[in-house]
Amino acid sequence: MSLRYESFPKTILEIIHSFEKGRLNLSPGFQRDSVWTDSDRQKLIESILRGYPLPSVFFYKRETDGQIYFDVIDGKQRIETILRFTGRIRGNRFATKKIQLPGEDEKDWVDWDKLKRRRQQHKIESYTLLTIQVDGELSEVIDLFVKINSTGKALSAAEKRKAKFYDDDFLKEAARLARRFEGYFKAQHILSVGQILRMKNVELMCELMLSISKGDVINKKAALDRVMQSGSMTAHQLEKASRLTVSALNRVRRLFPDLGRTRFSKISDFYSLAVLVARLESEGLILTDRRRNRLAWDLLVSFSNGVDTVRERQRRAEGAGPGEELYREYLLTVLEGTDEITKRQKREEILRGLLGSLFERTDERRLFSSEQRRILFNSATDRKCTAKGCGRRLGWDDFTADHVRPFSQGGRTVLSNAALLCRKHNSAKGNRRPHRGGRRSR
């Protein structure tokens, strides 16, 4: 069924009444978030007060339970601005720029309360907008939304994706995680407030979830569209992708505590770093050793400074200096406009070469064997719990073999790294390396 449409002039007061009755939906699933600045909103109110004509607004007319409702296809920012200015959306009121009202001697800031005091509110309420009411299949309405919003403040790639796949579980989970890490992204200058308003945080989270779940960098647009169009990710796969992404981002936050002062706060660089950390973790490398982590941070800062130095030289039409070829090679992966998959692969390769060798691999065997336990117990000179302040005498049925250097921090499952502990203190120890109260078994 093709789209049908009719046009009707409506006063702003009529539109306000529809909103107050719950018949006007500003934020249907396909709609973008609020992207106008206060300056944009002030200019709109000024145009209305001066009687300037405004473009038409588009509504999707639909019927639910015998009632007619209107979803805003185009004009959300304008209608939202009017509702904010008149106080119908609370907490976000604003004034126009200085204009001269009839009967006033000079220009002044104008807000809704002042208009009412001057009995000039009719200048807003009686203003007429041409509304285009569209009826048809939702998929066609969404296509119309994307086409209409391809000019002016055009839809970003993330906003287009939201419009087409707003009911997709993968996109919903990415949006949830994006909100969870929004404060971190802003604090580390990875994303600005404006970028978050344009859903760049959701797009970044989509990329990270898909890349980390696949264990490799992706060709951004094609891969994201493919997984949403096909709905190929099962609920189990989605849960795993979400869990691994949260783990990787938390690990990046701990490993590199102040990314905001390095070039790795840039989206392309941050993406590559986060995906690499996820891969190192999946390969069983130990990322919890404080000394090695400090060294990794120092290396990353030094590398960032080197790349930035080469970039400055390029701006002055100078070449890379001796020993700076790696910095120049890395810079080539981020300078050109499109972040192609080959550039992402090269960037990760360079970062792996820089950081990968710092981290130890966990022992393939976590538990001490029965033979090791027998040797440990039978060769102990004093069969007591070695936890500080314990000293409990241990028998064959109630001792545990403990990693002196925790397994999670690279401790090997060998007798030279083993000690006797009672079950209580082994459970309480976790991955800490406690002070010993007794002599370690030999």
Coordinates of all heavy atoms in Angstrom, one line a residue, residues 302-381:
S302 N 53.6 7.4 26.0 CA 54.8 7.8 25.2 C 54.5 7.6 23.7 O 54.9 8.4 22.8 CB 56.0 6.9 25.6 OG 57.1 7.1 24.7
F303 N 53.8 6.5 23.3 CA 53.4 6.3 21.9 C 52.5 7.4 21.4 O 52.7 7.9 20.3 CB 52.8 4.9 21.8 CG 52.4 4.6 20.4 CD1 53.4 4.1 19.5 CD2 51.1 4.7 19.9 CE1 53.1 3.8 18.2 CE2 50.8 4.3 18.6 CZ 51.8 3.9 17.7
S304 N 51.5 7.8 22.2 CA 50.6 8.9 21.9 C 51.4 10.1 21.6 O 51.1 10.8 20.6 CB 49.6 9.1 23.0 OG 48.8 10.2 22.7
N305 N 52.3 10.5 22.5 CA 53.1 11.7 22.3 C 53.9 11.6 21.0 O 54.0 12.6 20.3 CB 54.0 11.9 23.5 CG 53.3 12.3 24.7 OD1 52.1 12.7 24.7 ND2 53.9 12.1 25.9
G306 N 54.5 10.4 20.7 CA 55.2 10.3 19.5 C 54.4 10.5 18.2 O 54.8 11.1 17.3
V307 N 53.2 9.9 18.2 CA 52.3 10.1 17.0 C 51.9 11.5 16.9 O 51.9 12.1 15.8 CB 51.1 9.2 17.2 CG1 50.1 9.4 16.1 CG2 51.4 7.7 17.2
D308 N 51.6 12.2 18.0 CA 51.2 13.6 17.9 C 52.4 14.5 17.5 O 52.1 15.5 16.7 CB 50.7 14.1 19.3 CG 49.3 13.5 19.6 OD1 48.6 13.0 18.7 OD2 49.0 13.5 20.8
T309 N 53.6 14.1 17.9 CA 54.7 14.9 17.4 C 54.9 14.8 15.9 O 55.2 15.8 15.2 CB 56.0 14.4 18.1 OG1 55.9 14.6 19.5 CG2 57.3 15.1 17.6
V310 N 54.8 13.6 15.4 CA 54.9 13.4 13.9 C 53.8 14.2 13.2 O 54.0 14.8 12.2 CB 54.8 11.9 13.6 CG1 54.7 11.7 12.1 CG2 56.1 11.2 14.1
R311 N 52.6 14.2 13.8 CA 51.5 14.9 13.2 C 51.8 16.4 13.1 O 51.5 17.1 12.1 CB 50.2 14.7 14.0 CG 49.0 15.5 13.5 CD 48.7 15.2 12.0 NE 47.5 15.8 11.6 CZ 47.3 16.1 10.3 NH1 48.2 15.9 9.4 NH2 46.1 16.7 10.0
E312 N 52.4 17.0 14.2 CA 52.8 18.4 14.2 C 53.8 18.7 13.1 O 53.8 19.7 12.4 CB 53.3 18.8 15.6 CG 52.2 19.0 16.6 CD 51.3 20.1 16.1 OE1 51.7 21.2 15.8 OE2 50.0 19.9 16.1
R313 N 54.8 17.8 12.9 CA 55.8 18.0 11.9 C 55.2 17.9 10.5 O 55.6 18.7 9.6 CB 56.9 16.9 12.0 CG 57.8 17.1 13.2 CD 58.8 16.0 13.3 NE 59.7 16.2 14.5 CZ 60.5 15.3 15.0 NH1 60.6 14.2 14.4 NH2 61.3 15.6 16.0
Q314 N 54.2 17.1 10.3 CA 53.5 17.0 9.0 C 52.8 18.3 8.7 O 52.8 18.8 7.6 CB 52.5 15.8 9.0 CG 53.2 14.5 8.9 CD 52.2 13.4 8.7 OE1 51.0 13.6 8.9 NE2 52.7 12.2 8.4
R315 N 52.2 18.9 9.7 CA 51.5 20.2 9.5 C 52.5 21.3 9.1 O 52.1 22.3 8.5 CB 50.8 20.6 10.8 CG 49.6 19.8 11.1 CD 48.7 20.5 12.2 NE 47.5 19.8 12.4 CZ 47.3 19.0 13.5 NH1 48.2 18.8 14.4 NH2 46.1 18.4 13.7
R316 N 53.8 21.1 9.5 CA 54.8 22.1 9.1 C 55.5 21.6 7.9 O 56.6 22.1 7.6 CB 55.8 22.3 10.3 CG 55.1 22.9 11.6 CD 56.2 23.4 12.5 NE 57.1 22.3 12.9 CZ 56.9 21.6 14.0 NH1 55.9 21.8 14.8 NH2 57.8 20.6 14.4
A317 N 55.0 20.6 7.2 CA 55.6 20.1 6.0 C 56.9 19.5 6.2 O 57.8 19.5 5.4 CB 55.6 21.2 4.9
E318 N 57.1 18.9 7.4 CA 58.4 18.2 7.8 C 58.1 16.7 7.8 O 57.0 16.3 8.1 CB 58.9 18.7 9.1 CG 59.2 20.2 9.2 CD 59.6 20.6 10.6 OE1 59.7 19.7 11.5 OE2 59.7 21.8 10.8
G319 N 59.1 15.9 7.5 CA 58.9 14.5 7.6 C 59.2 13.9 8.9 O 59.6 14.6 9.9
A320 N 58.9 12.6 9.1 CA 59.2 11.9 10.3 C 60.7 11.9 10.6 O 61.5 11.7 9.7 CB 58.6 10.5 10.3
G321 N 61.1 12.0 11.9 CA 62.5 12.0 12.2 C 63.0 10.5 12.4 O 62.2 9.6 12.2
P322 N 64.3 10.4 12.7 CA 64.9 9.0 12.9 C 64.1 8.3 14.0 O 63.8 8.8 15.0 CB 66.3 9.3 13.3 CG 66.6 10.7 12.7 CD 65.3 11.5 12.9
G323 N 63.8 7.0 13.7 CA 63.2 6.2 14.7 C 61.7 6.5 14.8 O 61.1 6.0 15.8
E324 N 61.1 7.3 14.0 CA 59.7 7.6 14.1 C 58.8 7.0 13.0 O 57.6 7.4 12.8 CB 59.5 9.2 14.1 CG 60.2 9.9 15.3 CD 60.0 11.4 15.2 OE1 59.8 11.9 14.1 OE2 60.1 12.0 16.3
E325 N 59.3 6.1 12.3 CA 58.5 5.5 11.2 C 57.3 4.8 11.7 O 56.2 4.8 11.1 CB 59.4 4.4 10.5 CG 60.4 5.1 9.5 CD 59.7 6.0 8.5 OE1 58.7 5.6 7.9 OE2 60.1 7.2 8.4
L326 N 57.3 4.1 12.9 CA 56.2 3.5 13.5 C 55.1 4.5 13.8 O 53.9 4.2 13.5 CB 56.5 2.7 14.7 CG 55.4 1.8 15.3 CD1 55.0 0.7 14.3 CD2 55.8 1.2 16.6
Y327 N 55.4 5.6 14.3 CA 54.5 6.7 14.6 C 53.8 7.2 13.3 O 52.6 7.4 13.2 CB 55.1 7.9 15.3 CG 55.8 7.6 16.5 CD1 57.0 8.2 16.9 CD2 55.3 6.6 17.4 CE1 57.7 7.9 18.1 CE2 56.0 6.3 18.6 CZ 57.2 7.0 18.9 OH 57.8 6.7 20.1
R328 N 54.6 7.3 12.2 CA 54.0 7.8 11.0 C 53.1 6.7 10.4 O 52.0 7.0 9.9 CB 55.2 8.1 10.0 CG 54.7 8.7 8.7 CD 55.9 8.8 7.7 NE 56.3 7.5 7.3 CZ 55.7 6.7 6.3 NH1 54.6 7.2 5.7 NH2 56.2 5.5 6.0
E329 N 53.5 5.5 10.5 CA 52.7 4.4 10.0 C 51.4 4.3 10.7 O 50.3 4.1 10.1 CB 53.5 3.0 10.2 CG 52.9 1.9 9.4 CD 53.8 0.6 9.6 OE1 54.9 0.7 10.2 OE2 53.3 -0.4 9.1
Y330 N 51.4 4.5 12.0 CA 50.1 4.5 12.8 C 49.3 5.7 12.4 O 48.0 5.6 12.2 CB 50.4 4.6 14.3 CG 49.2 4.6 15.1 CD1 48.6 3.4 15.5 CD2 48.5 5.7 15.5 CE1 47.4 3.3 16.3 CE2 47.4 5.7 16.3 CZ 46.8 4.5 16.7 OH 45.7 4.5 17.4
L331 N 49.9 6.9 12.2 CA 49.2 8.1 11.9 C 48.4 7.9 10.5 O 47.3 8.4 10.4 CB 50.1 9.2 11.8 CG 49.6 10.7 11.8 CD1 48.7 10.9 13.0 CD2 50.7 11.7 11.7
L332 N 49.0 7.2 9.6 CA 48.3 7.0 8.3 C 47.0 6.2 8.5 O 46.1 6.3 7.6 CB 49.3 6.2 7.4 CG 50.5 7.0 6.8 CD1 51.4 6.0 6.0 CD2 50.0 8.2 6.0
T333 N 46.8 5.5 9.5 CA 45.6 4.7 9.7 C 44.5 5.5 10.3 O 43.3 5.1 10.3 CB 45.8 3.5 10.7 OG1 46.0 4.0 12.0 CG2 47.0 2.7 10.2
V334 N 44.8 6.8 10.7 CA 43.7 7.6 11.3 C 43.5 8.9 10.6 O 42.5 9.6 10.9 CB 44.0 7.9 12.8 CG1 43.9 6.6 13.6 CG2 45.3 8.5 13.0
L335 N 44.4 9.3 9.7 CA 44.3 10.6 9.1 C 43.3 10.7 8.0 O 42.6 11.7 7.9 CB 45.7 11.0 8.5 CG 46.7 11.6 9.5 CD1 47.9 12.1 8.8 CD2 46.0 12.8 10.3
E336 N 43.2 9.7 7.2 CA 42.2 9.7 6.0 C 40.8 9.6 6.5 O 40.5 9.0 7.5 CB 42.6 8.7 5.0 CG 44.0 8.9 4.4 CD 44.4 7.8 3.5 OE1 43.5 7.1 3.0 OE2 45.6 7.6 3.3
G337 N 39.9 10.1 5.7 CA 38.5 10.2 6.1 C 37.8 9.0 6.5 O 37.2 8.9 7.6
T338 N 37.8 7.9 5.7 CA 37.1 6.7 6.0 C 37.9 5.7 6.8 O 39.1 5.4 6.5 CB 36.7 6.0 4.6 OG1 36.0 7.0 3.9 CG2 35.8 4.8 4.9
D339 N 37.3 5.3 7.9 CA 38.0 4.3 8.8 C 37.8 2.9 8.3 O 37.0 2.2 8.8 CB 37.5 4.5 10.2 CG 38.4 3.8 11.2 OD1 39.5 3.4 10.8 OD2 38.0 3.6 12.4
E340 N 38.5 2.5 7.2 CA 38.3 1.2 6.5 C 38.8 0.1 7.4 O 39.6 0.3 8.3 CB 39.0 1.2 5.2 CG 38.5 2.3 4.2 CD 39.4 2.4 3.0 OE1 40.5 1.8 3.0 OE2 39.0 3.1 2.0
I341 N 38.3 -1.1 7.1 CA 38.7 -2.2 7.9 C 40.2 -2.5 7.8 O 40.8 -2.9 8.8 CB 37.9 -3.5 7.5 CG1 38.2 -4.6 8.5 CG2 38.2 -3.9 6.1 CD1 37.2 -5.8 8.4
T342 N 40.8 -2.3 6.7 CA 42.3 -2.5 6.5 C 43.1 -1.6 7.5 O 44.1 -1.9 8.0 CB 42.7 -2.3 5.1 OG1 42.3 -1.0 4.6 CG2 42.2 -3.3 4.2
K343 N 42.5 -0.3 7.6 CA 43.2 0.6 8.5 C 43.0 0.2 10.0 O 44.0 0.3 10.8 CB 42.6 2.0 8.3 CG 43.0 2.6 7.0 CD 42.3 3.9 6.8 CE 42.5 4.5 5.4 NZ 41.8 5.7 5.2
R344 N 41.8 -0.3 10.3 CA 41.6 -0.8 11.7 C 42.5 -2.0 12.0 O 43.0 -2.1 13.1 CB 40.1 -1.2 11.8 CG 39.2 0.0 11.8 CD 37.7 -0.4 11.9 NE 36.9 0.8 12.3 CZ 35.7 0.7 12.8 NH1 35.1 -0.4 12.9 NH2 35.1 1.8 13.1
Q345 N 42.6 -2.9 11.0 CA 43.5 -4.1 11.2 C 44.9 -3.6 11.4 O 45.6 -4.2 12.3 CB 43.4 -5.0 10.0 CG 42.0 -5.7 10.0 CD 41.8 -6.4 8.6 OE1 42.4 -6.1 7.6 NE2 40.9 -7.4 8.6
K346 N 45.4 -2.7 10.6 CA 46.8 -2.2 10.8 C 47.0 -1.6 12.1 O 48.0 -1.7 12.8 CB 47.1 -1.3 9.6 CG 48.6 -0.8 9.6 CD 49.5 -2.0 9.4 CE 51.0 -1.5 9.4 NZ 51.9 -2.7 9.3
R347 N 46.0 -0.7 12.6 CA 46.1 0.0 13.8 C 46.2 -1.0 15.0 O 47.0 -0.9 15.9 CB 44.9 0.9 14.0 CG 45.1 2.0 14.9 CD 44.2 3.2 14.7 NE 42.8 2.8 14.6 CZ 42.0 3.0 13.6 NH1 42.4 3.6 12.5 NH2 40.7 2.7 13.6
E348 N 45.4 -2.1 14.9 CA 45.4 -3.1 16.0 C 46.7 -3.8 16.0 O 47.3 -4.1 17.0 CB 44.2 -4.0 15.9 CG 44.2 -5.0 17.1 CD 43.1 -6.0 17.0 OE1 42.1 -5.7 16.4 OE2 43.4 -7.1 17.5
E349 N 47.2 -4.1 14.8 CA 48.5 -4.8 14.7 C 49.6 -4.0 15.4 O 50.5 -4.6 16.1 CB 48.8 -5.0 13.2 CG 50.2 -5.7 13.0 CD 50.5 -5.7 11.5 OE1 49.6 -5.8 10.6 OE2 51.7 -5.7 11.2
I350 N 49.6 -2.7 15.1 CA 50.7 -1.9 15.7 C 50.5 -1.8 17.3 O 51.5 -1.9 18.0 CB 50.6 -0.4 15.1 CG1 51.0 -0.5 13.7 CG2 51.5 0.5 15.9 CD1 50.8 0.8 12.9
L351 N 49.3 -1.7 17.7 CA 49.1 -1.6 19.2 C 49.4 -2.9 19.9 O 49.9 -2.9 21.0 CB 47.6 -1.2 19.5 CG 47.2 0.3 19.1 CD1 45.8 0.5 19.3 CD2 48.1 1.2 19.9
R352 N 49.1 -4.0 19.2 CA 49.4 -5.3 19.8 C 50.9 -5.5 19.9 O 51.5 -6.0 20.9 CB 48.9 -6.5 18.9 CG 49.2 -7.8 19.4 CD 48.7 -8.9 18.5 NE 47.3 -9.2 18.8 CZ 46.8 -10.0 19.7 NH1 47.7 -10.7 20.5 NH2 45.5 -10.2 19.9
G353 N 51.7 -5.0 18.9 CA 53.1 -5.1 18.9 C 53.7 -4.2 20.1 O 54.7 -4.6 20.7
L354 N 53.0 -3.1 20.4 CA 53.4 -2.2 21.4 C 53.1 -2.8 22.8 O 54.0 -2.7 23.7 CB 52.7 -0.9 21.3 CG 53.0 0.2 22.3 CD1 54.4 0.7 22.1 CD2 52.0 1.3 22.2
L355 N 51.9 -3.4 23.0 CA 51.5 -3.7 24.3 C 51.4 -5.2 24.6 O 51.5 -5.6 25.8 CB 50.1 -3.1 24.6 CG 49.9 -1.6 24.5 CD1 48.5 -1.2 24.6 CD2 50.7 -0.9 25.5
G356 N 51.2 -6.0 23.6 CA 50.9 -7.4 23.8 C 52.0 -8.2 24.5 O 51.6 -9.1 25.4
S357 N 53.2 -7.9 24.3 CA 54.3 -8.7 25.0 C 54.5 -8.4 26.5 O 55.2 -9.1 27.2 CB 55.6 -8.4 24.3 OG 56.0 -7.1 24.3
L358 N 53.8 -7.3 27.0 CA 53.9 -7.0 28.4 C 53.2 -7.9 29.3 O 53.5 -8.0 30.5 CB 53.3 -5.6 28.6 CG 54.1 -4.4 28.0 CD1 53.3 -3.1 28.3 CD2 55.4 -4.3 28.6
F359 N 52.2 -8.6 28.8 CA 51.3 -9.4 29.6 C 51.6 -10.9 29.6 O 51.8 -11.4 28.5 CB 49.8 -9.1 29.2 CG 49.5 -7.6 29.3 CD1 49.3 -6.9 28.2 CD2 49.3 -7.0 30.5 CE1 49.0 -5.5 28.2 CE2 49.0 -5.7 30.6 CZ 48.8 -4.9 29.5
E360 N 51.6 -11.5 30.7 CA 51.8 -13.0 30.8 C 50.5 -13.7 30.5 O 49.4 -13.2 30.6 CB 52.2 -13.3 32.2 CG 53.5 -12.7 32.7 CD 53.8 -13.1 34.1 OE1 53.2 -12.5 35.0 OE2 54.6 -14.0 34.4
R361 N 50.7 -14.9 30.0 CA 49.6 -15.8 29.8 C 49.3 -16.7 31.0 O 50.2 -17.1 31.7 CB 49.9 -16.7 28.6 CG 48.6 -17.4 28.0 CD 49.0 -18.2 26.7 NE 49.5 -17.2 25.7 CZ 48.7 -16.6 24.9 NH1 47.4 -16.7 25.1 NH2 49.2 -15.7 24.0
T362 N 48.0 -16.8 31.3 CA 47.7 -17.7 32.5 C 48.1 -19.1 32.2 O 48.1 -19.6 31.1 CB 46.1 -17.6 32.7 OG1 45.5 -18.0 31.5 CG2 45.7 -16.3 33.2
D363 N 48.4 -19.8 33.3 CA 48.7 -21.2 33.3 C 47.5 -21.9 32.7 O 46.3 -21.7 33.1 CB 49.0 -21.7 34.7 CG 49.8 -23.0 34.7 OD1 49.5 -23.8 33.8 OD2 50.6 -23.2 35.5
E364 N 47.7 -22.9 31.8 CA 46.6 -23.6 31.2 C 45.9 -24.5 32.3 O 44.7 -24.8 32.1 CB 47.1 -24.5 30.1 CG 47.6 -23.7 28.9 CD 48.1 -24.7 27.8 OE1 48.0 -25.9 27.9 OE2 48.5 -24.1 26.7
R365 N 46.6 -24.8 33.3 CA 46.0 -25.7 34.4 C 45.9 -24.8 35.7 O 46.8 -24.3 36.2 CB 46.9 -26.9 34.7 CG 46.4 -27.9 35.6 CD 47.1 -29.2 35.5 NE 48.5 -29.1 35.4 CZ 49.3 -29.0 36.5 NH1 48.8 -29.1 37.7 NH2 50.6 -28.9 36.4
R366 N 44.6 -24.7 36.1 CA 44.3 -23.9 37.3 C 44.5 -24.6 38.6 O 45.0 -24.1 39.6 CB 42.9 -23.3 37.2 CG 42.6 -22.3 38.4 CD 41.2 -21.8 38.3 NE 40.9 -20.9 39.4 CZ 41.0 -19.6 39.3 NH1 41.5 -19.0 38.2 NH2 40.8 -18.8 40.3
L367 N 44.0 -25.9 38.6 CA 44.0 -26.6 39.9 C 45.2 -27.5 40.0 O 45.7 -28.0 39.1 CB 42.7 -27.5 39.9 CG 41.4 -26.8 39.9 CD1 40.2 -27.8 39.8 CD2 41.2 -25.8 41.0
F368 N 45.7 -27.6 41.3 CA 46.8 -28.5 41.6 C 46.3 -29.9 41.4 O 45.2 -30.3 41.8 CB 47.3 -28.3 43.0 CG 48.0 -27.0 43.2 CD1 47.4 -25.9 43.7 CD2 49.3 -26.8 42.8 CE1 48.0 -24.7 43.9 CE2 50.0 -25.6 43.0 CZ 49.3 -24.5 43.5
S369 N 47.2 -30.8 40.8 CA 46.8 -32.2 40.6 C 46.8 -32.9 41.9 O 47.4 -32.5 42.9 CB 47.8 -32.8 39.6 OG 49.1 -32.9 40.2
S370 N 46.3 -34.1 41.9 CA 46.3 -35.0 43.1 C 47.7 -35.3 43.5 O 48.0 -35.4 44.7 CB 45.4 -36.2 42.9 OG 45.9 -37.0 41.8
E371 N 48.6 -35.5 42.5 CA 50.0 -35.8 42.9 C 50.6 -34.6 43.5 O 51.4 -34.8 44.5 CB 50.8 -36.1 41.6 CG 50.4 -37.5 41.0 CD 49.1 -37.4 40.1 OE1 48.6 -36.3 39.9 OE2 48.7 -38.4 39.6
Q372 N 50.4 -33.4 43.0 CA 51.0 -32.2 43.6 C 50.4 -32.0 45.0 O 51.2 -31.6 45.9 CB 50.6 -31.0 42.8 CG 51.4 -30.9 41.5 CD 50.9 -29.7 40.6 OE1 49.7 -29.5 40.4 NE2 51.9 -29.0 40.0
R373 N 49.2 -32.3 45.3 CA 48.6 -32.1 46.6 C 49.2 -33.1 47.6 O 49.5 -32.7 48.7 CB 47.1 -32.3 46.5 CG 46.3 -31.2 46.0 CD 44.8 -31.5 45.7 NE 44.2 -32.1 46.9 CZ 43.7 -31.4 47.9 NH1 43.8 -30.1 47.9 NH2 43.1 -32.0 48.9
R374 N 49.5 -34.3 47.1 CA 50.1 -35.3 48.0 C 51.5 -34.9 48.4 O 51.9 -35.0 49.5 CB 50.1 -36.7 47.3 CG 48.8 -37.4 47.3 CD 48.9 -38.9 47.0 NE 49.4 -39.1 45.7 CZ 48.7 -39.3 44.6 NH1 47.4 -39.2 44.7 NH2 49.2 -39.5 43.5
I375 N 52.3 -34.4 47.4 CA 53.7 -34.0 47.6 C 53.7 -32.8 48.6 O 54.5 -32.8 49.5 CB 54.4 -33.6 46.3 CG1 54.5 -34.9 45.4 CG2 55.7 -33.0 46.5 CD1 55.0 -34.6 44.0
L376 N 52.8 -31.9 48.3 CA 52.7 -30.7 49.2 C 52.4 -31.0 50.6 O 53.1 -30.6 51.5 CB 51.6 -29.7 48.6 CG 51.4 -28.4 49.4 CD1 52.6 -27.5 49.4 CD2 50.1 -27.7 48.9
F377 N 51.4 -31.9 50.8 CA 51.0 -32.3 52.2 C 52.1 -33.1 52.9 O 52.5 -32.9 54.0 CB 49.7 -33.0 52.2 CG 49.2 -33.3 53.5 CD1 48.5 -32.4 54.2 CD2 49.4 -34.6 54.1 CE1 48.0 -32.7 55.5 CE2 48.9 -34.9 55.4 CZ 48.2 -33.9 56.1
N378 N 52.6 -34.1 52.2 CA 53.6 -35.1 52.8 C 54.9 -34.4 53.0 O 55.7 -34.9 53.9 CB 53.7 -36.3 51.9 CG 52.4 -37.1 51.9 OD1 51.7 -37.2 52.9 ND2 52.2 -37.8 50.8
S379 N 55.3 -33.4 52.2 CA 56.6 -32.8 52.4 C 56.6 -31.6 53.3 O 57.7 -31.0 53.6 CB 57.2 -32.4 51.1 OG 56.4 -31.4 50.5
A380 N 55.4 -31.2 53.8 CA 55.3 -30.0 54.7 C 56.0 -30.3 56.0 O 55.7 -31.4 56.7 CB 53.9 -29.6 54.9
T381 N 56.8 -29.5 56.5 CA 57.5 -29.7 57.8 C 56.5 -29.3 59.0 O 56.7 -29.9 60.1 CB 58.7 -28.8 57.9 OG1 58.4 -27.4 57.7 CG2 59.8 -29.2 56.9

